[in-house]
């Protein structure tokens, strides 16, 4: 396989088509040139997003709409954007929506915030008439079975462009889920029913592919790590992390060697995410590999390849979703409730997302990992203070996946110093009542703690992927 950088590969491919009713052009000669200028500006602004834009040009009738539909279908778009520059009939865009094999977003962006009513003639008014066909498109899309979504505003309307950007980011999530390769290495943590995953349900619900990876696949790559790779990984570790006095040099070197082997594994198997667990016994090599994963998994997560322990495939997928929304996302579970301060304490032992740490993350040396075999270095930090969103990927009894999410605030306060990621999250409600509501959502006992208020983005993701979104509040 050809190695790539997963964080920058698979940019969403956005199809773009602009149009208006061709009957207007001979009646109002200045109209089409003005609309083409508006379309060029939309193309320019679309290219500012982290996406590949396939521009199908400007259409004026149903025949040109059919030709644009074929071009966009062949391009394999993740989202098709239809720009309504003025009135146009549904026959012009229904072929694009039906044949493009991608979700469709309609945008109505008039040239300026308002018309000059005193001076405008009919031709000038028509350049502001993109709202007119929106209800027609919605009605036609409903009748042909195409979900309708739209953004209305004006060409330089930052609020409208933020909404458009939200759909583009959601298309990036859809793209990586549909084509992603998700590694699963080791075996289920004994007894965790909620974590167990029917692998067929991953492509069934999201698309993509689950690659079963053996710990021996990692072992042989760790054995091949050379001294230059090891030194480079140690240098990277010291740059990213502060090292506690409890870190034993031999343990650090082993973790760095495993991290370098993990880099090779991810490149060789072309992975976008990884979930792992192996128990092991009596300090044999597989136990040592499992115990040595924390550093490398954290570094992978920070560069856009989410990696988490306890065989938590659905949570590594949730981490991938929040990462592609630009919000990071660290592996998390409940730790304790602080009723005095009114916060929920959450985090996890093992790997975290160092790029979203409030300060420089710490590597702490541990003589024993609680509930797991092995010893070595572990990651300790607090997620960046401010707005955060919890995101989990739950599964219903019939196998369907659902996004489960809640928004809160990470606040300052006392934290444990035991080699865990730990954050204090204020949800604005009694911690006990909120914990009961979150647990009743069916999320499972692991989820993602991501930065920012993501509910609008998650609604867009749900809209493009077909996943149900459960928004938890008290």
């Amino acid at each position: 396989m050809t190695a790539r950088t997963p964080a920058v590969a698979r940019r969403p491919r956005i199809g773009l088509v602009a149009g208006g009713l061709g009957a207007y052009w001979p009646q109002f000669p200045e109209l089409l040139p003005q609309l083409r200028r508006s379309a060029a500006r939309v193309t320019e602004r679309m290219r500012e997003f982290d996406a590949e834009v396939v521009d199908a040009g400007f259409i004026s009738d149903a025949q040109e709409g059919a030709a644009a539909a074929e071009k966009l279908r062949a391009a394999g778009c993740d989202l098709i954007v239809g720009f309504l520059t003025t009135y146009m009939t549904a026959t012009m865009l229904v072929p694009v929506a039906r044949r493009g094999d991608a979700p469709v977003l309609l945008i109505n962006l008039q040239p300026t915030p308002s018309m000059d009513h005193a001076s405008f003639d009919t031709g000038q008014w028509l350049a502001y008439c993109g709202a007119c066909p929106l209800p027609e498109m919605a009605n036609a899309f409903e009748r042909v079975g195409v979900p309708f979504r739209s953004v209305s505003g004006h060409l330089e309307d930052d609020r409208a462009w933020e909404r458009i950007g939200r759909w583009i980011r959601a298309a990036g999530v859809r793209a990586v889920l549909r084509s992603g390769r998700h590694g699963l290495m080791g075996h289920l943590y004994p007894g965790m029913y909620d974590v167990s995953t029917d692998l067929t349900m991953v492509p069934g619900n999201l698309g993509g592919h689950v690659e079963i990876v053996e710990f021996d696949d990692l072992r042989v790559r760790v054995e091949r790590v050379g001294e230059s790779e090891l030194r480079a990984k140690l240098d990277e570790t010291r740059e990213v992390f502060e090292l506690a006095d409890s870190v034993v040099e031999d343990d650090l070197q082993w973790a760095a060697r495993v991290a370098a082997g993990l880099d090779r594994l991810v490149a060789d198997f072309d992975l976008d995410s990884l979930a792992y667990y192996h128990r092991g016994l009596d300090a044999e090599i597989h136990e040592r590999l499992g115990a040595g994963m924390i550093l490398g998994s954290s570094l992978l997560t920070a560069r856009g390849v989410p990696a988490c322990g306890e065989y938590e495939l659905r949570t590594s997928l949730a981490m991938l979703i929040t990462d592609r929304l630009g919000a990071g996302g660290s592996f998390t579970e409940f730790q304790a409730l602080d009723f005095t301060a009114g916060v929920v304490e959450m985090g996890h032992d093992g790997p975290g997302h160092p790029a979203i740490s409030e300060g420089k993350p710490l590597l702490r040396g541990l003589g024993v990992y609680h509930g797991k075999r092995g010893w070595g270095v572990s990651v300790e930090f607090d997620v960046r203070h401010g707005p955060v969103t919890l995101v989990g990927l739950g599964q219903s009894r019939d196998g369907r996946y659902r996004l489960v999410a809640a928004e809160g605030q990470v606040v300052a306060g006392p934290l444990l110093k035991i080699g865990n990621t730990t954050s204090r999250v204020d949800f604005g409600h009694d911690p006990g009542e909120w914990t009961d509501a979150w647990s009743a959502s069916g999320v499972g006992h692991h989820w993602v703690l991501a930065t920012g208020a993501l509910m609008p983005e998650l609604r867009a993701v749900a809209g493009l992927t077909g996943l149900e979104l459960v928004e938890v509040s008290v």
Side-chain angles (χ1 to χ4, degrees):
M1 295 180 181
T2 301
R4 61 178 173 83
T5 304
V8 298
R10 300 190 179 105
R11 296 164 64 216
R13 183 170 298 147
I14 309 301
L16 178 62
V17 59
L21 186 64
Y24 295 147
W25 314 153
Q27 296 176 325
F28 308 100
E30 300 300 318
L31 178 59
L32 181 58
Q34 179 180 2
L35 300 183
R36 288 189 180 278
R37 288 193 295 274
S38 291
R41 178 58 177 151
V42 166
T43 300
E44 181 182 20
R45 291 207 63 163
M46 291 286 290
R47 296 192 190 281
E48 294 174 3
F49 292 102
D50 186 20
E52 176 188 349
V53 178
V54 179
D55 192 347
F58 197 101
I59 61 174
S60 300
D61 55 35
Q63 291 85 355
E64 292 179 358
E70 179 58 27
K71 178 177 180 179
L72 296 177
R73 183 202 63 77
C77 298
D78 300 301
L79 178 70
I80 293 173
V81 178
F83 177 25
L84 311 180
T85 66
T86 186
Y87 176 73
M88 56 195 299
T89 62
T91 57
M92 298 168 64
L93 279 183
V94 164
V96 173
R98 290 282 289 166
R99 303 177 197 171
D101 193 30
V104 179
L105 169 68
L106 299 185
I107 61 174
N108 153 45
L109 302 177
Q110 61 189 41
T112 65
S114 61
M115 295 187 291
D116 184 350
H117 298 78
S119 65
F120 271 27
D121 60 20
T122 302
Q124 291 168 305
W125 155 62
L126 285 171
Y128 284 72
C129 200
C132 181
L134 265 179
E136 177 176 340
M137 299 299 171
N139 180 283
F141 280 21
E142 166 68 21
R143 291 163 70 183
V144 300
V146 173
F148 175 80
R149 54 190 70 86
S150 69
V151 172
S152 292
H154 59 86
L155 281 177
E156 306 305 332
D157 185 348
D158 289 338
R159 293 171 301 176
W161 281 105
E162 172 54 32
R163 292 167 62 200
I164 292 168
R166 189 175 297 148
W167 287 110
I168 291 174
R169 289 188 291 275
V173 171
R174 179 179 181 269
V176 75
L177 292 176
R178 281 166 60 89
S179 62
R181 293 174 52 81
H182 313 297
L184 192 59
M185 183 168 70
H187 62 82
L188 182 70
Y189 188 104
M192 288 185 180
Y193 279 167
D194 64 318
V195 170
S196 62
T197 299
D198 179 345
L199 302 189
T200 308
M201 290 296 97
V202 175
N205 281 276
L206 306 174
H209 167 75
V210 179
E211 182 73 12
I212 303 300
V213 184
E214 300 281 354
F215 258 84
D216 281 324
D217 291 314
L218 176 62
R219 175 183 58 80
V220 296
R221 287 163 176 82
V222 170
E223 290 171 352
R224 295 170 187 161
V225 171
E227 290 305 307
S228 61
E229 285 178 272
L230 177 60
R231 285 194 300 273
K233 190 58 66 174
L234 287 168
D235 290 343
E236 180 185 1
T237 299
R238 292 188 172 98
E239 180 179 348
V240 172
F241 294 96
E242 177 185 348
L243 272 59
D245 292 341
S246 57
V247 172
V248 176
E249 182 62 26
D250 286 348
D251 292 346
L252 177 64
Q253 296 234 356
W254 174 248
R257 189 175 294 276
V258 173
L262 268 176
D263 288 349
R264 290 187 174 198
L265 183 86
V266 165
D268 290 347
F269 285 94
D270 196 27
L271 300 180
D272 292 280
S273 68
L274 175 66
Y276 70 89
Y277 176 75
H278 185 83
R279 184 179 64 176
L281 290 169
D282 299 330
E284 50 83 36
I285 185 60
H286 297 96
E287 179 187 321
R288 294 194 64 217
L289 286 168
M293 292 278 290
I294 293 172
L295 172 62
S297 295
S298 299
L299 293 173
L300 280 173
T301 300
R303 78 165 204 247
V305 186
C308 67
E310 298 188 7
Y311 213 60
E312 248 291 20
L313 175 60
R314 291 200 312 279
T315 301
S316 63
L317 291 168
M319 291 167 68
L320 186 62
I321 290 170
T322 59
D323 180 85
R324 293 306 188 267
L325 292 176
S330 202
F331 189 48
T332 306
E333 66 183 1
F334 285 136
Q335 292 178 326
L337 308 181
D338 187 334
F339 290 96
T340 303
V343 299
V344 179
E345 297 181 64
M346 58 182 67
H348 209 284
D349 62 303
H353 195 315
I356 63 171
S357 173
E358 170 67 12
K360 191 169 185 177
L362 180 76
L363 274 188
R364 187 178 296 280
L366 299 178
V368 62
Y369 292 151
H370 77 266
K372 301 179 180 69
R373 304 287 304 186
W375 67 93
V377 298
S378 192
V379 172
E380 183 177 297
F381 66 77
D382 182 12
V383 166
R384 189 179 307 133
H385 295 178
V388 291
T389 305
L390 279 60
V391 183
L393 195 60
Q395 179 176 320
S396 65
R397 187 174 184 178
D398 62 6
R400 287 182 294 178
Y401 287 178
R402 62 165 69 101
L403 289 167
V404 182
E407 293 181 343
Q409 294 268 341
V410 171
V411 297
L415 302 171
L416 293 172
K417 299 179 180 179
I418 58 172
N420 285 17
T421 62
T422 305
S423 295
R424 300 168 64 84
V425 189
D426 185 350
F427 294 99
H429 297 281
D430 173 78
E433 292 181 13
W434 185 89
T435 297
D436 290 337
W438 178 255
S439 300
S441 70
V443 66
H445 84 281
H446 297 127
W447 53 86
V448 181
L449 185 59
T451 56
L454 299 182
M455 210 64 78
E457 279 75 12
L458 292 171
R459 293 179 190 128
V461 169
L464 294 190
T465 60
L467 293 170
E468 176 189 4
L469 173 61
V470 178
E471 302 181 26
V472 176
S473 60
V474 177

